[in-house]
């Protein structure tokens, strides 16, 4: 059966024994802790209703016309079909949860990062990011795949689906796809689907990006999310080509004026660099 994950997290204000890695993300850094502590629960859960304010912001990102109560009814329906699953592993002094966040930047080509990426416990890929034919550079393992309907790809039964809903029809798509077995040919009995909360998107937009850009990119949302799931985060495949375009490793860029779409690519990149300089993440540039 399909199950949805409930998720709990917290950022302690000071150093206790936080995780089993040499260095834990949750180690106190005032700049970082302030940003992280402002986070709501990242994933939608049975009881996590969003506020009218959050809905109003979320409605604007892809021009949703339908009402707040329609949204609430849709979320309720999802949880009627898919009961919540056990939590993701929480941080503990006994183990070290490592994450590789793999963006789709073209300079993964020739990087030979494959084995390094696969070495992480959790490997998160996104949208059309694929491994077939690119194994040497991007690896083979995908424990989590972030997508929305327009960027969806088939997943195998070792990969969790992480839905980023940008409008109500994205939630309806999930219901339809899972009940009809469209996206995932799953052979296992249990499978976890998680849905990013609109409240988390709003948090990343206002708290991290200070309301700049139309809304955060899939990759930036995923990176901030990974810092809630892991004790150590390695970032691959983020950056832009010389002309400032978000090109992809798996295709030749056709639209030379793509830039970073309606996302504030520069600001997102600066924040990623700041996280790297503060040794919160490892950042792999490609060549
Ligand atoms: O293009 P797409 O949205 O599928 O890529 C996933 C994410 O990877 C983007 O949202 C962006 O954050 C990141 N990316 C990047 N540089 C690129 C391509 C993608 O930073 N050249």
């Amino acid at each position: 059966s399909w199950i949805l994950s409930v998720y709990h997290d917290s950022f302690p204000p000071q150093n206790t024994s936080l995780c089993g890695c040499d260095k834990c993300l949750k180690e106190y850094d005032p700049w970082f802790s302030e940003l992280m502590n402002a986070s709501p629960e990242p994933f939608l859960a049975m009881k996590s209703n969003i506020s009218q304010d959050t809905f109003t912001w979320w409605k604007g990102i892809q021009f949703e016309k339908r009402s707040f109560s329609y949204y609430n009814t849709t979320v309720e329906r999802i949880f009627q079909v898919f009961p919540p699953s056990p939590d993701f592993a929480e941080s503990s002094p006994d183990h070290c949860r490592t994450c590789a966040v793999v963006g789709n930047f073209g300079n993964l080509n020739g990087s030979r990062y494959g084995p390094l990426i696969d070495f992480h416990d959790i490997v998160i890929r996104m949208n059309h990011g694929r491994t077939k034919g690119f194994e040497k550079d991007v690896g083979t393992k995908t424990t989590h795949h972030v997508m929305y309907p327009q960027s969806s790809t088939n997943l195998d039964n070792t990969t969790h689906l992480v839905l980023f809903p940008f409008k109500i029809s994205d939630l309806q798509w999930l219901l339809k796809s899972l009940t009809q077995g469209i996206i995932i040919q799953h052979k296992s009995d249990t499978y976890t689907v998680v849905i990013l909360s609109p409240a988390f998107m709003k948090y990343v937009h206002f708290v991290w990006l200070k309301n700049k850009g139309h809304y955060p990119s899939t990759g930036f949302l995923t990176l901030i999310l990974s810092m809630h799931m892991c004790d150590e985060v390695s970032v691959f495949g983020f950056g832009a080509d010389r002309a400032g375009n978000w090109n992809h490793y798996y295709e030749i860029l056709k639209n030379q004026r793509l830039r970073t779409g309606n996302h504030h690519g520069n600001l997102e990149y600066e924040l990623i660099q700041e996280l790297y300089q503060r040794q919160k993440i490892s950042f792999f540039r490609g060549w």
Side-chain angles (χ1 to χ4, degrees), residues 103-106 126-127 217-220 237-240 245-248 250:
N104 290 332
F105 186 14
M126 55 200 84
N127 298 341
S217 74
T218 299
F220 193 72
F238 282 69
N245 295 312
W246 271 352
N247 62 338
H248 298 140
Y250 48 81

Side-chain angles (χ1 to χ4, degrees), residues 6 43 102 138 145 163 224-225 240 269 280:
V6 182
F43 298 123
V102 189
V138 307
H145 201 117
L163 177 73
I224 306 301
L225 174 64
Y269 194 76
K280 288 291 165 196

